[in-house]
Amino acid sequence: MHISSHFLLLGATAVNAGVVKLRGTSKIPDYFQTSYGPFAGPTEAGSAPFLAQTILAPFGQHSYVPNTPVVTDVPIIGENDGADAFKNMGNLSPYMPNPSGFGVKEYPLPPGTNITQMHMVHRHGSRYPTSSASVATFPDRVAELLGNGTRFTGNLAFLNSWKYQLGKEELTALGRQQLFDSGVLNWFDYGRLYDPSSPLIARTTTQVRMLQSAENFLNGFFGPNWTKNVTLEVLIEETGFKNPLAGDKACPNNDNDRSAAGDWASTQWQEKYLKSATNRFRQSMTGNPNWTIEDTYNAQTMCPYETVGLGYSPFCSLFTREEWLGFEYSIDLSYYGGNGFASPTGRAVGVGYVEELIARLQHHYSQPDEGYTAINETLDTSPTTFPFNQNLYLDFSHDTTIFSMLTALGLTQFGEFLPTSGPPPNRQLVVSHIVPFAGRFNIEVIKAPRPVLARRSEDPQASDYESEGDETTYVHLLMNQRTIPLGRSITECGERDDGWCELQTFIKVQKENIAKAKFEESCFGNYSIPVYGDITTGAI
Ligand SMILES: *[C@@H]1O[C@H](CO)[C@@H](O)[C@H](O)[C@H]1NC(C)=O
Ligand SMILES: *[C@@H]1O[C@H](CO)[C@@H](O)[C@H](O)[C@H]1NC(C)=O
Ligand SMILES: *[C@@H]1O[C@H](CO)[C@@H](O)[C@H](O)[C@H]1NC(C)=O
Ligand SMILES: *[C@@H]1O[C@H](CO)[C@@H](O)[C@H](O)[C@H]1NC(C)=O
Ligand SMILES: *[C@@H]1O[C@H](CO)[C@@H](O)[C@H](O)[C@H]1NC(C)=O
Ligand SMILES: *[C@@H]1O[C@H](CO)[C@@H](O)[C@H](O)[C@H]1NC(C)=O
Ligand SMILES: *[C@@H]1O[C@H](CO)[C@@H](O)[C@H](O)[C@H]1NC(C)=O
């Protein structure tokens, strides 16, 4: 083992390549160590794929992501092109830009206007199931049935000899690709914001997939010598540690029954939308075994996981389009009640990032009255670990924490009540549009010489600026490459067709949002378990 070259050496600490340094014993502060340490989290390698031998494709003409190595055009029941199924897998959808946008027009920048900063938060890429995922119990369930003498028939016959080949927790090859591709994309979009004369800090967490996601992104962004361009800061991801990129770890009530209403709601919905599939499945097995709705749900969940781990999954084609739409909604309910406005800890888990964003936008460290309840005060009050002189802020996080960041930012666009009976028309909360694998948001800071018209002219020759006024700075929030209309959630931003918000207005509103999270009470309070639908503000 030798010292990773991933960190720049700050100060006088000298390290000889080849010297063994373990986390905790090194002179290098732990937040600059990029070797896998005691907080790396559990992982397990999966079987190596063998797609050249096992491929049943091609099935159709198009797969929704061009040039992707995994097979997403599997036919589903009632259709000959299954690609749409992959757009409806919630947080398990492979990365895609939201195909329908968030309900606002998107414009090129008016001439004379400059993007001066970009604040990104990026989810890790496609991974194997987490250790606690119920899908990982599915192989035991199948083995139990086979052991009891059941045999599968028809389109389930493959289960008679099926083997579970997924690993745990770590990025799949597709996950690495997604982050690399995103690094390339972000390089194309924002490369010029990088200042080679000034050191850059990017931040991730200690979990293996988080570290590897950041590394793959930076490799895509800067190339293989990226360690010469950026220092990766690695925040401890472990229960009890304050880490805005893994906000649940310092919020006990996010991990107990007080935030479980979303999972309850999801189960209610699963019992409805998978009833007919469960009956269908029962007809394809002998011996009348006790095959449950939960079994069907786990079978459906195998599809996205096997696809991103092995390249193809026979489970995908066992479901109809309606059932894939139902799958998406089952995940939407879970996020709404667990991490969004229907969760008592929805805002609290994401509020640490809001505190950090305000500090970065104002170029000064948080003051107690602005709140540093949810941040690591040691790291976030030092220019070494929390600098303000960057034009690019690259952070890596998890789906649930990112969802909570959006809740903490007050994006009530995603706060509509979701009934367990089925999706309301035109709902905005679609998890695959928000935190698919490798999902990300980019907050651009845009400086304009004069105020930009709230209503852009239809005439391409007309000026985009108001006829008078001073230099004005705006915030533009993109989620997966599509604009979020800030005025729709934050009335102070005004109804602008470009979705932007004036910077000082945005900062003022976000300062108010810190208090709205009620961090201490929501995360640590001994309150009775809320019933689904009781909480609507993302806090207790
Ligand atoms: C990376 O840096 C090393 C050492 O400075 C250099 O030899 C190598 O050519 C660089 N590689 C690339 C791809 O720039
Ligand atoms: C990254 O650092 C290397 C080595 O100093 C340098 O050659 C390269 O230009 C830098 N990349 C950018 C985008 O500035
Ligand atoms: C803050 O980060 C430092 C450096 O990793 C760590 O030692 C400390 O325990 C963290 N504090 C909290 C409250 O998480
Ligand atoms: C398998 O058989 C055992 C013993 O009869 C029974 O307890 C169990 O519920 C059966 N499992 C399933 C999945 O039917
Ligand atoms: C079927 O399995 C479910 C879940 O394991 C269990 O709750 C239920 O009692 C079982 N039903 C029968 C008839 O065994
Ligand atoms: C945008 O950048 C250009 C080139 O650096 C500069 O001349 C111009 O003044 C900038 N505009 C604003 C509004 O800052
Ligand atoms: C929490 O509240 C319940 C009900 O009021 C009470 O029984 C319990 O002792 C309290 N727990 C703690 C840790 O205060």
Side-chain angles (χ1 to χ4, degrees):
M1 177 185 165
H2 67 91
I3 264 292
S4 151
S5 58
H6 292 179
F7 39 81
L8 299 180
L9 299 174
L10 302 171
T13 317
V15 174
N16 299 320
V19 174
V20 175
K21 299 262 179 173
L22 297 172
R23 193 179 177 97
T25 63
S26 168
K27 289 211 178 77
I28 297 161
D30 60 349
Y31 43 76
F32 284 139
Q33 291 189 38
T34 57
S35 52
Y36 306 133
F39 304 108
T43 64
E44 183 180 299
S47 304
F50 197 19
L51 196 53
Q53 182 168 301
T54 58
I55 183 91
L56 301 179
F59 299 107
Q61 286 72 42
H62 28 253
S63 150
Y64 83 91
V65 178
N67 298 326
T68 178
V70 302
V71 181
T72 57
D73 61 345
V74 187
I76 55 174
I77 296 175
E79 325 232 340
N80 42 28
D81 181 352
D84 256 6
F86 284 84
K87 295 179 184 164
N88 294 301
M89 296 177 178
N91 64 324
L92 306 181
S93 273
Y95 178 73
M96 61 175 175
N98 170 356
S100 48
F102 290 101
V104 71
K105 289 189 181 145
E106 282 140 344
Y107 295 94
L109 281 190
T113 291
N114 302 325
I115 297 179
T116 57
Q117 279 176 32
M118 193 279 285
H119 304 251
M120 181 192 82
V121 180
H122 208 298
R123 187 186 178 203
H124 59 73
S126 291
R127 53 154 169 74
Y128 293 118
T130 51
S131 306
S132 60
S134 88
V135 68
T137 65
F138 189 70
D140 286 347
R141 186 74 178 137
V142 170
E144 184 194 358
L145 290 166
L146 289 171
N148 276 11
T150 289
R151 289 295 170 267
F152 296 94
T153 61
N155 61 2
L156 294 188
F158 74 93
L159 280 174
N160 292 321
S161 57
W162 173 78
K163 283 197 174 50
Y164 186 79
Q165 300 179 76
L166 302 175
K168 287 179 187 156
E169 308 260 354
E170 70 177 21
L171 286 184
T172 71
L174 186 71
R176 294 201 299 274
Q177 181 193 22
Q178 289 163 334
L179 269 291
F180 184 87
D181 285 354
S182 178
V184 173
L185 181 108
N186 274 278
W187 171 253
F188 276 114
D189 279 343
Y190 301 110
R192 208 173 289 179
L193 288 176
Y194 176 67
D195 175 1
S197 68
S198 171
L200 187 71
I201 300 272
R203 301 188 309 165
T204 188
T205 84
T206 47
Q207 263 194 5
V208 171
R209 67 174 172 279
M210 295 300 304
L211 197 47
Q212 291 182 350
S213 287
E215 289 168 342
N216 280 285
F217 178 95
L218 295 171
N219 192 355
F221 195 94
F222 288 110
N225 273 351
W226 59 268
T227 57
K228 299 212 166 45
N229 309 103
V230 54
T231 301
L232 198 48
E233 178 177 346
V234 188
L235 309 188
I236 296 170
E237 175 164 359
E238 185 61 64
T239 305
F241 286 87
K242 285 187 174 174
N243 176 347
L245 306 178
D248 56 311
K249 294 295 185 284
C251 187
N253 284 339
N254 184 246
D255 288 335
N256 62 32
D257 286 346
R258 293 194 176 89
S259 296
D263 289 341
W264 175 86
S266 179
T267 305
Q268 303 306 302
W269 168 241
Q270 287 164 33
E271 280 170 15
K272 187 173 154 78
Y273 90 87
L274 285 178
K275 208 177 202 112
S276 127
T278 300
N279 288 332
R280 207 164 63 228
F281 275 51
R282 282 182 183 147
Q283 280 155 27
S284 294
M285 49 192 85
T286 63
N288 195 24
N290 184 9
W291 181 269
T292 63
I293 298 258
E294 192 189 349
D295 293 330
T296 310
Y297 192 69
N298 284 336
Q300 193 170 24
T301 309
M302 286 304 307
C303 161
Y305 277 124
E306 283 195 333
T307 302
V308 302
L310 301 165
Y312 165 75
S313 173
F315 288 93
C316 302
S317 51
L318 302 177
F319 297 89
T320 66
R321 179 177 159 73
E322 279 306 307
E323 286 157 0
W324 282 114
L325 293 170
F327 186 72
E328 170 71 52
Y329 192 59
S330 75
I331 296 173
D332 301 345
L333 285 164
S334 156
Y335 278 68
Y336 174 57
N339 316 96
F341 286 96
S343 164
T345 53
R347 284 179 185 254
V349 167
V351 76
Y353 180 75
V354 175
E355 293 170 15
E356 295 185 330
L357 178 65
I358 293 168
R360 286 166 170 175
L361 289 171
Q362 312 188 119
H363 298 272
H364 72 69
Y365 297 105
S366 299
Q367 306 299 315
D369 63 316
E370 287 159 358
Y372 39 57
T373 43
I375 60 180
N376 183 316
E377 216 182 308
T378 315
L379 296 176
D380 282 16
T381 53
S382 155
T384 311
T385 44
F386 198 74
F388 291 128
N389 58 351
Q390 303 190 168
N391 306 322
L392 277 175
Y393 293 94
L394 307 175
D395 287 327
F396 297 85
S397 180
H398 291 276
D399 49 355
T400 49
T401 296
I402 294 175
F403 201 92
S404 279
M405 289 174 184
L406 302 176
T407 308
L409 286 165
L411 298 187
T412 53
Q413 174 168 6
F414 305 118
E416 180 194 14
F417 177 72
L418 299 182
T420 58
S421 54
N426 304 319
R427 79 185 183 286
Q428 297 297 304
L429 198 175
V430 179
V431 171
S432 60
H433 296 173
I434 302 172
V435 284
F437 281 127
R440 77 292 305 240
F441 66 77
N442 300 76
I443 299 176
E444 298 173 347
V445 176
I446 301 174
K447 198 181 263 190
R450 290 205 303 282
V452 175
L453 289 168
R455 294 262 171 275
R456 301 282 181 100
S457 171
E458 302 280 325
D459 174 5
Q461 304 302 318
S463 168
D464 292 322
Y465 295 108
E466 288 179 16
S467 53
E468 46 199 73
D470 295 332
E471 190 176 272
T472 307
T473 305
Y474 298 93
V475 169
H476 176 207
L477 172 53
L478 296 113
M479 188 86 229
N480 303 325
Q481 302 174 252
R482 306 301 301 266
T483 295
I484 299 254
L486 288 169
R488 183 161 172 179
S489 295
I490 304 171
T491 45
E492 291 90 328
C493 296
E495 277 186 48
R496 299 184 56 89
D497 337 313
D498 53 18
W500 299 0
C501 186
E502 190 275 318
L503 176 67
Q504 294 311 322
T505 307
F506 183 79
I507 291 174
K508 180 177 159 286
V509 169
Q510 294 312 333
K511 284 186 178 174
E512 292 163 9
N513 276 334
I514 294 175
K516 287 186 187 167
K518 300 186 187 165
F519 178 79
E520 289 293 333
E521 202 184 339
S522 293
C523 287
F524 300 95
N526 183 20
Y527 46 91
S528 56
I529 294 168
V531 172
Y532 181 71
D534 279 1
I535 304 275
T536 56
T537 59
I540 185 66

